[in-house]
């Protein structure tokens, strides 16, 4: 390599210098690639740290954490079963999935007291006296928000009075989590008070009302006084059975569950059994209530009324025992969906499935929806809307009601549609003092009375596309001032199977301005049947009968009416 001197110092020629730098760069890059390919970035060893505590004995020398995790995750171990029984499926899944949870740490801590075996861990979790269990319980509640009534002293043997333990869990969980009532039979000598923002899980559990207990659950605390919808709301009750043991010695009449002055109430999948005298579920001044997939079975008629009480009552906030402020707040936006009302063995069900019989003057229950329910053997009318506005009654199956399938009064702007009503004792559907009601696409089979009746000043109503088969009396009646309404496109077969029905349609008692158009009526050709398509009583004016198919009937109209384009 050629050198020169610059200011007395040797240096490389520029070309040689560049060449030398390039050679060194290649060597550096080669070294970096070698390190990267070996994944060895450790550098020089550091000083030795302090030794840690000895590990816990494992299964086949598996570290403690891994052994406990295996027990918790395996669904066929005693550890998993103990956690599941304590916290339920959802909470156990959460605890298993969170390897950093406080509960996991507590479970690992308890194994320090014994060999890490499934039996040892499960025994600690199941022992009521175990300090480790208490630690796990506290940690689990912090992680999962689950409050198990067993941890508060509930036994679930069907003999012990578990109401104090359940009440303690309800108070502890207030606004913070869910209350778990695991499978078992829980005796109740006192009612339960459910505070706001509480979610009760009762799947597999049965709560038994014992003599001396009146209501089973309410949503107010002793001394509360609320108005409007300001009471304890945000409550969910899910699963399980509430058994009031109606008719047994020492039992008294009760509302099983009452909610008052509240918003956002949900009752899902609960079975209400053997109610006595009053209502199974009452919405009393509630905004946003849901009864979904519930069963109402058996009712003891203490007063021998023949069935005047509702399984589900939708009511206004009147004065309630222990909750004195009755300010007339109306319930609204209540949904009853997918429920069943039926007998319980030889015990008949409530007289009425859902409805009401009281209200405040000039006020309505708005936004009620009764949909997709099954009602079997109601002692009276199955669904009884009273002062409902904008309600929808749709998709219900009603079998053998002791009155009407639907009996509506004082209501407005409602729809009764797509229901099937079989063998009603009264009219299939009955309207009184109501206006702007649409009755459409219902099926009414083999009723002992009239198919559909509009009475007592029910005005501006439309009855359309219904199918009525085999009713004993008139197929469709407008009476007592049920004026300015229309029957359009209905199909009626075999009306008037008794001698009182002189027409398939009946207009009577000063009812005016009714239009009967586009209907199809047929005889069954068995026994006595209606003798005319439409029977109009004297004194009823402005009846229009047009475009109907009355094939096979002797006459289209008797009485005074505009009679055009009807086939007989």
């Amino acid at each position: 390599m050629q050198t020169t001197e610059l200011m007395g110092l040797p240096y490389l020629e520029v070309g040689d210098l560049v060449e030398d730098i390039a050679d060194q760069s290649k060597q550096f890059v080669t070294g970096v690639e070698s390190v990267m390919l070996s994944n060895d970035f450790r550098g020089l060893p550091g000083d030795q740290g302090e030794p840690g505590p000895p590990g816990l004995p494992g299964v086949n020398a598996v570290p403690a954490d891994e052994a406990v995790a295996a027990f918790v995750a395996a669904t066929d171990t005693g550890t998993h079963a103990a956690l599941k029984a304590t916290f339920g499926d959802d909470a156990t899944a959460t605890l298993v999935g969170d390897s950093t949870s406080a509960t996991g740490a507590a479970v690992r801590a308890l194994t320090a007291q014994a060999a890490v075996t499934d039996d040892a861990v499960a025994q600690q979790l199941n022992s009521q006296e175990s300090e480790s269990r208490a630690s796990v319980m506290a940690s689990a509640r912090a992680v999962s928000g689950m409050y198990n009534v067993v941890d508060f002293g509930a036994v679930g043997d069907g003999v012990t009075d578990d109401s104090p333990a359940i009440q303690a869990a309800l108070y502890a969980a207030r606004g913070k989590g869910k209350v778990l009532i695991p499978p078992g039979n829980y005796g109740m000598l006192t009612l339960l008070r459910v505070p706001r923002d509480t979610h009760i899980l009762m799947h597999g559990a049965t709560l038994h009302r014992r003599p001396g207990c009146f209501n089973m659950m309410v949503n107010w605390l002793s001394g509360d006084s609320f108005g409007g919808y300001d009471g304890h709301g945000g409550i969910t009750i899910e699963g399980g059975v509430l058994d009031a043991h109606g008719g047994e010695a020492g039992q008294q009449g009760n509302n099983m569950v009452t909610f008052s002055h509240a918003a956002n109430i949900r009752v899902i999948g609960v079975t209400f059994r053997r109610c006595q005298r009053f209502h199974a579920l009452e919405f009393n001044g509630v905004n946003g209530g849901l009864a979904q997939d519930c069963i109402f079975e058996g009712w003891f008629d203490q007063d021998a009324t023949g069935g005047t009480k509702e399984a589900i009552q939708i009511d206004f906030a009147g004065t309630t025992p222990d909750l004195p402020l009755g300010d007339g707040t109306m319930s609204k936006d209540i949904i009853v969906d997918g429920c069943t009302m039926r007998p319980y063995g030889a015990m008949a069900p409530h007289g009425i499935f859902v409805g009401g019989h009281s209200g405040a003057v000039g006020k309505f229950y708005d936004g009620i929806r009764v949909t997709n329910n099954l009602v079997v053997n109601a002692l009276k009318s199955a669904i009884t809307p009273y002062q409902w506005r904008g309600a929808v009654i749709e998709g219900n199956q009603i079998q053998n009601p002791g009155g009407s399938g639907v009996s509506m009064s004082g209501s407005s702007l409602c729809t009764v549609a797509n229901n099937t009503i079989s063998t009603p004792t009264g009219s299939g559907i009955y309207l009184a003092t109501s206006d702007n009601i649409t009755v459409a696409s219902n099926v009414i089979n083999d009723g002992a009375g009239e198919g559909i009746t509009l009475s007592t000043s029910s005005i501006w109503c439309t009855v359309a596309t219904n199918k009525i088969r085999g009713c004993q009396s008139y197929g469709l009646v407008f009476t007592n001032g049920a004026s300015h309404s229309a029957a359009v496109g209905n199909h009626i077969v075999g009306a008037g199977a008794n001698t009182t029905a002189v027409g398939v349609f009946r207009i009577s008692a000063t009812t005016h301005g009714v239009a009967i158009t586009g209907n199809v009526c047929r005889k069954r050709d068995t026994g006595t049947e209606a003798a005319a398509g439409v029977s109009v009583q004297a004194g009823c004016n402005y009846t229009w009968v047009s475009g109907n198919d009355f094939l096979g009937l002797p006459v289209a109209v008797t009485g005074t009416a505009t009679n055009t384009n009807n086939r007989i």
Side-chain angles (χ1 to χ4, degrees):
M1 186 176 293
Q2 190 176 13
T3 63
T4 63
E5 287 188 355
L6 179 64
M7 299 179 65
L9 300 174
Y11 69 99
L12 300 175
E13 292 287 355
V14 173
D16 293 337
L17 176 61
V18 171
E19 182 180 352
D20 191 40
I21 291 173
D23 290 339
Q24 296 180 40
S25 297
K26 288 179 181 179
Q27 294 175 14
F28 175 76
V29 170
T30 301
V32 171
E33 289 177 344
S34 176
V35 171
M36 293 182 69
L37 290 172
S38 68
N39 290 321
D40 189 358
F41 298 95
R42 291 175 295 180
L44 296 176
D47 295 334
Q48 179 67 39
E50 295 294 327
L56 297 174
V59 177
N60 296 326
V62 176
D65 280 5
E66 295 180 22
V68 173
F71 298 147
V72 171
T75 58
D76 59 349
T77 67
T79 298
H80 186 95
L83 287 171
K84 181 177 177 180
T86 302
F87 311 124
D89 286 335
D90 292 342
T92 298
T94 300
L95 300 174
V96 170
D98 185 0
S99 61
T100 64
S101 73
T103 298
V107 172
R108 290 191 292 274
L110 74 85
T111 63
Q113 305 167 25
V116 185
T117 67
D118 179 29
D119 291 342
V121 177
Q123 183 177 6
Q124 289 286 316
L125 288 174
N126 286 318
S127 173
Q128 293 291 337
E129 293 77 23
S130 166
E131 293 182 4
S132 297
R133 174 186 169 85
S135 176
V136 172
M137 300 304 107
S139 297
R141 285 194 288 268
V143 173
S144 68
M146 187 70 69
Y147 293 75
N148 191 328
V149 299
V150 174
D151 298 325
F152 293 84
V155 179
D157 60 1
V159 177
T160 304
D161 175 19
D162 288 318
S163 45
I166 298 173
Q167 188 64 70
L170 290 170
Y171 284 150
R174 179 176 179 175
K176 294 182 290 186
K178 298 178 180 180
V179 173
L180 174 66
I181 305 178
N185 291 284
Y186 299 84
M188 290 181 56
L189 287 175
T190 57
L191 67 84
L192 299 174
R193 300 182 184 274
V194 184
R196 69 179 72 249
D197 299 325
T198 300
H199 189 155
I200 304 173
L201 297 172
M202 304 195 303
H203 299 286
T206 301
L207 276 59
H208 298 270
R209 186 179 72 124
R210 300 306 185 200
C213 180
F214 186 64
N215 284 7
M216 297 185 74
M217 291 186 184
V218 299
N219 73 318
W220 60 88
L221 312 184
S222 182
D224 278 349
S225 181
F226 293 108
Y229 306 114
D230 295 332
H232 294 272
I235 294 170
T236 298
I237 304 173
E238 189 174 345
V241 177
L242 299 175
D243 192 341
H245 289 268
E248 293 184 1
Q251 295 287 10
Q252 56 184 323
N254 73 309
N255 285 342
M256 294 178 68
V257 177
T258 301
F259 296 102
S260 187
H261 289 295
N264 301 322
I265 302 294
R266 302 193 311 159
V267 182
I268 302 171
V270 177
T271 295
F272 295 80
R273 181 174 294 161
R274 293 190 288 186
C275 183
Q276 180 165 329
R277 191 181 188 187
F278 295 122
H279 314 288
L281 176 61
E282 179 160 347
F283 294 109
N284 186 318
V286 170
N287 176 10
L290 171 66
Q292 186 174 54
D293 299 331
C294 294
I295 296 173
F296 301 85
E297 55 184 20
W299 177 71
F300 181 69
D301 188 4
Q302 178 176 315
D303 302 318
T305 63
T308 60
K309 301 300 181 183
E310 301 88 352
I312 305 173
Q313 176 167 257
I314 298 173
D315 205 354
F316 70 100
T319 300
T320 301
D322 193 43
L323 185 63
L325 182 59
D327 63 358
T329 299
M330 304 293 283
S331 290
K332 65 179 182 178
D333 295 333
I334 306 295
I335 298 173
V336 179
D337 179 73
C339 297
T340 297
M341 188 181 85
R342 65 192 184 193
Y344 179 69
M347 181 180 284
H350 275 82
I352 300 164
F353 169 53
V354 58
H357 51 260
S358 59
V361 176
K363 295 183 178 180
F364 287 94
Y365 300 99
D366 286 317
I368 311 299
R369 296 183 63 88
V370 180
T371 56
N372 307 313
N373 302 285
L374 172 63
V375 185
V376 180
N377 295 350
L379 297 177
K380 297 290 187 180
S381 296
I383 300 171
T384 59
Y386 181 76
Q387 290 183 221
W388 292 9
R389 181 171 58 189
V392 174
I393 302 167
E394 185 171 13
N396 301 285
Q397 301 285 325
I398 301 172
Q399 300 173 5
N400 311 315
S404 297
V406 178
S407 181
M408 176 181 290
S409 60
S411 298
S412 180
L413 299 167
C414 299
T415 298
V416 182
N418 298 302
N419 303 283
T420 298
I421 303 168
S422 300
T423 61
T425 300
S427 298
I429 297 170
Y430 183 90
L431 310 181
T433 60
S434 297
D435 66 84
N436 292 288
I437 309 300
T438 298
V439 180
S441 301
N442 300 281
V443 176
I444 301 169
N445 293 320
D446 300 315
E450 297 155 357
I452 298 173
T453 302
L454 281 70
S455 182
T456 321
S457 301
S458 291
I459 58 175
W460 306 320
C461 298
T462 300
V463 183
T465 64
N466 299 282
K467 295 181 179 179
I468 302 171
R469 300 187 179 97
C471 56
Q472 295 290 304
S473 187
Y474 302 102
L476 209 163
V477 175
F478 298 86
T479 188
N480 295 316
S483 300
H484 309 296
S485 295
V488 182
N490 299 283
H491 189 188
I492 304 174
V493 177
N498 63 41
T499 58
T500 63
V502 295
V504 176
F505 293 87
R506 173 69 166 170
I507 317 296
S508 66
T510 61
T511 297
H512 309 300
V514 173
I516 311 293
T517 63
N519 301 281
V520 176
C521 302
R522 291 288 187 271
K523 298 175 68 174
R524 274 187 171 177
D525 293 324
T526 57
T528 304
E529 297 191 56
V534 181
S535 170
V536 183
Q537 190 180 55
C540 297
N541 302 318
Y542 313 112
T543 301
W544 181 273
V545 182
S546 177
N548 300 283
D549 183 349
F550 297 143
L551 183 65
L553 295 175
V555 295
V557 178
T558 62
T560 302
T562 300
N563 178 4
T564 63
N565 300 318
N566 298 293
R567 183 171 76 156
I568 58 173

